[in-house]
Amino acid sequence: MNADPASVHQQEQVREVERVSPQTAMTSAPTQDQAAPLVARCQDGDRAAFRTLFERYAGRVHATVYPLITRKDEAEDVVQKVFLEVHRSIGSFEGRSLFTTWLTRVAIHVARAHERKWRLFERSRRVPGEDPGALVVIEGGQAEDPQRALLVQERAVLARALLARLPIKKRIVLALAELQDLSAVEIADILDIPPATVRTRLFYARRDFERLARRDPRATQLFGLEEPA
Amino acid sequence: MSGHLDDRRLFEALDGQGTAHERAHLAACTSCQRALAQKQAAMQALHLAAARPLGSLHLRQLGDRLLGALPAQVSPPSHVRWWLGLAAAATAGASLALLAQLTLHKLAAPADRSAAPALVQHLPEPSPAPSLSGLPVSARTSLDSAPPPLPTEPLSASAHAAIPSPNSAPRTPPALRSTKDLAHDFEELTKLDNPAAEPPDPSDLAIERPATDELEQHLAQLESAPGDHPLELLQTLPTLLRVAARQLQPQQLELIAQRIANLALDEPGDEMASFLGCETALLARRYPAAMDLCQAYLRRFPQGPRARDVAFLAASTARLQLADCTRAVPLYDQALTFSGVLQSYNDEAYLGRALCHRQLGDLAGARSDLNLFLFKYPERRRDREVRSLIEQLQLSP
């Protein structure tokens, strides 16, 4: 009996995840794509199924795109754009990867496009001599007056601002590895790059984030870091 | 060589990896322990950048908006699209060939064939051999049965056509109003604010003249069936009122608004009726009453399908008609709470909120909204005005 190539690929993928990262495999890798029936209904034009798909995965998409974009209040726009894109392209999803892998890929693609557009815009609006990394100001009134903001909010704003200073490629692997707890293999599958490249990129991303934080006086104060020697 | 662990080894140690030798060194070396603690603190700080989970109610609202914006059909898979493209190209090619053939025959047609119907006489004689176009004869004969051109109707008929007969269709829930409708409402709202600025176009009047009659007829139908208003009639009421409002005097409008209020549309729990109460009052320029009705809607149906639309209309009314920015800002906030990509009027909402922020002395808030406007809607008609405002604000202390 011939097995479905898509399911064979998925099983191989799961085995690889289990081999490299047993802990992650236990918690997140299903033995088959649980979204498959829902996706099939969406592909048949079932709007109720698409609604269910949205409600099931919007949180995941939000968690993915949120660290990748500079303006946090744009996150919901990006989530909607992602699902508009999913709706447009779901007919071409053939089940060669897990649906969540494909969805994350779409989310990253849309978030990157959005971020690129924002960066271009922000660059065109920047006052000469202004610190290009002073993204905290963009977060709105709360950050302009830290005394008014709660400490937790201020720390979160600062963490996002530091993250936003990293190049988008590093930001993506850092967000997927640290904030989504995905393994190098899973990230490699999403980004379509070798796992070794993911590990290398992740190392540089972590190192750069740490350096940025330690060079920022507010970050050293708020996060208990030491300035580099 | 110092023997201390480098950054890469330290991050690996943070992940619980590394050789026994490295672990032993780490256990003994305070310098490496300190470096490891710094990395751990940095990664903990990074976790603060994670998103907060979306609430289920929030998700439902986002879903509502998203579904409203989706096209009816899912795009077919790419391999299917390829075949569809080929089929479409073949059909188009065949049609062109047929057209060319018809044209050639027309040029060569003898004068005495004029007795036949126009399209038929241009067709070649039926032949068992495939024609140049490759189309079957049935395709050609379909030209004979092509529908005749639509008769030219007076323009006013389009307004009539939008009004369903009360007996024509079963009572079905009305569709949500499109963002285009709302944008139109907003346009009308600002136009009504200053009717002298734009004299009515005579051709517009030609379209609108029957609207007052139609409105009267419509109201009479609604008044004749108290307590059992067909939703179709209710739904078209604001459209009719909007069109008729430009021809009516304020006193006439006030009378009509009163008649609409007497219809007791605000039956408890009827979200649609509550919405209409707000909208008709707005169109009748009863602004203080409209604000109360709109805010009543928002209190009763804060998650209603039209909550954002009502919030936007109420915010615009508060700012433009009542000059009450304190009231307008939270309404703009509500209108902009869920996403900006799917609503055509959000640019106006950002601009309106920015102007209110400025008026209330919140220059940072105004700058933020204006920058958002430019970012999201760089091609909109008012972007020059917005740039000028930003320049003014940057000069402000």
Side-chain angles (χ1 to χ4, degrees):
Chain A
M1 193 175 86
N2 289 333
D4 174 19
S7 74
V8 168
H9 176 82
Q10 282 179 15
Q11 284 165 12
E12 284 172 0
Q13 201 178 14
V14 169
R15 276 200 294 276
E16 191 180 5
V17 170
E18 284 168 348
R19 183 172 57 78
V20 177
S21 171
Q23 194 178 2
T24 308
M26 271 193 298
T27 55
S28 66
T31 50
Q32 59 179 3
D33 196 345
Q34 292 165 343
L38 198 55
V39 169
R41 284 169 56 204
C42 292
Q43 287 175 326
D44 289 339
D46 183 339
R47 288 169 78 86
F50 193 80
R51 172 68 183 251
T52 308
L53 193 83
F54 173 81
E55 289 186 357
R56 192 177 293 174
Y57 294 105
R60 185 189 183 107
V61 169
H62 185 252
T64 302
V65 301
Y66 184 86
L68 305 184
I69 56 173
T70 304
R71 288 195 59 99
K72 64 179 179 183
D73 50 359
E74 298 282 302
E76 286 163 14
D77 283 7
V78 177
V79 170
Q80 288 192 328
K81 283 183 187 172
V82 168
F83 278 93
L84 286 173
E85 182 58 34
V86 166
H87 186 266
R88 200 181 66 79
S89 319
I90 200 160
S92 61
F93 175 68
E94 295 172 357
R96 289 182 187 170
S97 63
L98 293 173
F99 173 71
T100 48
T101 302
W102 181 77
L103 179 65
T104 309
R105 207 176 286 156
V106 173
I108 289 171
H109 176 77
V110 172
R112 281 186 74 163
H114 183 89
E115 185 63 1
R116 197 177 304 125
K117 188 178 153 199
W118 166 257
R119 291 275 167 154
L120 284 171
F121 169 79
E122 206 265 331
R123 201 177 298 156
S124 72
R125 302 280 316 147
R126 191 175 296 150
V127 178
E130 187 184 334
D131 175 13
L135 295 166
V136 181
V137 176
I138 299 167
E139 294 281 349
Q142 289 180 342
E144 289 184 354
D145 184 5
Q147 298 302 318
R148 283 193 303 168
L150 294 170
L151 183 64
V152 171
Q153 284 176 323
E154 192 181 356
R155 283 158 55 95
V157 166
L158 185 55
R160 278 184 56 78
L162 291 170
L163 185 61
R165 289 191 195 182
L166 292 179
I168 188 74
K169 282 185 177 179
K170 289 180 182 171
R171 221 184 308 167
I172 289 169
V173 287
L174 201 53
L176 293 177
E178 291 288 339
L179 306 182
Q180 302 254 35
D181 207 21
L182 297 184
S183 71
V185 175
E186 287 169 305
I187 298 170
D189 200 36
I190 289 166
L191 301 180
D192 201 19
I193 55 176
T197 308
V198 173
R199 289 190 194 97
T200 304
R201 204 177 281 177
L202 180 60
F203 161 67
Y204 285 113
R206 284 166 147 183
R207 190 197 64 178
D208 291 357
F209 182 84
E210 185 206 353
R211 285 183 179 175
L212 280 172
R214 292 178 66 181
R215 283 180 192 149
D216 187 309
R218 287 176 63 219
T220 53
Q221 188 190 347
L222 286 171
F223 301 141
L225 295 169
E226 294 170 3
E227 288 181 28
Chain B
M1 195 175 158
S2 67
H4 289 307
L5 301 184
D6 62 12
D7 279 342
R8 190 183 289 268
R9 302 282 170 261
L10 286 168
F11 276 118
E12 283 176 2
L14 206 59
D15 291 339
Q17 298 169 5
T19 62
H21 175 72
E22 287 164 357
R23 282 198 293 274
H25 173 85
L26 196 57
C29 176
T30 53
S31 172
C32 285
Q33 284 170 8
R34 196 167 174 170
L36 184 67
Q38 289 294 300
K39 285 171 175 38
Q40 197 164 16
M43 290 305 106
Q44 280 172 354
L46 173 65
H47 280 84
L48 295 170
R52 288 185 200 161
L54 292 171
S56 59
L57 188 65
H58 196 150
L59 265 180
R60 245 195 339 266
Q61 287 219 344
L62 279 176
D64 286 343
R65 298 287 163 195
L66 181 70
L67 248 67
L70 290 178
Q73 295 289 321
V74 171
S75 304
S78 53
H79 62 278
V80 176
R81 278 203 298 271
W82 182 80
W83 283 105
L84 281 178
L86 187 67
T91 309
S95 306
L96 279 174
L98 181 62
L99 192 66
Q101 211 172 5
L102 289 175
T103 310
L104 283 173
H105 275 271
K106 184 180 180 183
L107 290 173
D112 59 358
R113 292 182 70 182
S114 59
L119 280 171
V120 175
Q121 64 180 291
H122 297 148
L123 291 173
E125 292 298 324
S127 160
S131 66
L132 182 65
S133 67
L135 285 178
V137 173
S138 61
R140 280 181 274 137
T141 52
S142 71
L143 287 170
D144 296 331
S145 58
L150 289 171
T152 312
E153 293 182 31
L155 282 173
S156 59
S158 60
H160 292 226
I163 303 158
S165 155
N167 302 321
S168 63
R171 180 172 170 138
T172 52
L176 292 186
R177 288 159 55 71
S178 70
T179 55
K180 198 175 163 190
D181 287 339
L182 260 295
H184 186 260
D185 275 2
F186 180 76
E187 295 278 331
E188 288 299 316
L189 195 63
T190 48
K191 270 182 203 163
L192 288 170
D193 183 36
N194 189 10
E198 192 179 312
D201 185 333
S203 59
D204 278 354
L205 289 178
I207 298 170
E208 291 170 5
R209 189 164 293 121
T212 48
D213 299 342
E214 203 61 49
L215 177 65
E216 177 59 42
Q217 190 184 342
H218 209 73
L219 274 173
Q221 281 181 0
L222 284 166
E223 285 165 339
S224 67
D228 186 25
H229 308 305
L231 277 176
E232 294 82 2
L233 284 180
L234 289 176
Q235 198 183 15
T236 48
L237 189 57
T239 310
L240 274 175
L241 183 60
R242 191 188 309 129
V243 176
R246 294 173 73 182
Q247 300 173 350
L248 296 170
Q249 297 300 316
Q251 297 88 339
Q252 292 173 303
L253 266 172
E254 185 57 41
L255 279 174
I256 286 175
Q258 191 55 51
R259 284 173 67 187
I260 291 171
N262 290 342
L263 290 173
L265 292 178
D266 55 344
E267 296 154 9
D270 192 336
E271 184 269 340
M272 175 71 181
S274 181
F275 171 72
L276 283 172
C278 151
E279 195 179 36
T280 48
L282 276 174
L283 289 167
R285 304 188 218 175
R286 298 165 64 231
Y287 299 122
M291 284 299 293
D292 292 343
L293 287 166
C294 292
Q295 291 197 303
Y297 175 97
L298 292 170
R299 276 194 301 275
R300 287 168 65 191
F301 308 103
Q303 312 297 338
R306 298 163 186 83
R308 283 191 70 193
D309 304 339
V310 171
F312 172 70
L313 288 174
S316 304
T317 305
R319 182 173 74 84
L320 295 169
Q321 309 299 338
L322 305 177
D324 187 352
C325 272
T326 312
R327 211 168 171 188
V329 167
L331 289 165
Y332 280 128
D333 290 345
Q334 195 165 350
L336 289 165
T337 298
F338 301 115
S339 167
V341 287
L342 302 176
Q343 295 290 338
S344 65
Y345 58 76
N346 274 6
D347 54 339
E348 294 290 351
Y350 278 116
L351 184 55
R353 193 170 67 176
L355 292 170
C356 273
H357 278 317
R358 186 178 68 160
Q359 193 178 324
L360 296 172
D362 180 4
L363 300 188
R367 265 197 298 270
S368 171
D369 276 342
L370 293 172
N371 274 319
L372 267 175
F373 178 100
L374 284 184
F375 172 57
K376 292 188 171 193
Y377 313 105
E379 305 302 326
R380 289 289 163 98
R381 59 199 163 147
R382 300 177 78 169
D383 72 323
R384 188 176 293 176
E385 185 187 339
V386 170
R387 284 176 203 284
S388 158
L389 275 169
I390 291 177
E391 281 169 17
Q392 287 173 28
L393 290 174
Q394 281 172 344
L395 290 174
S396 302

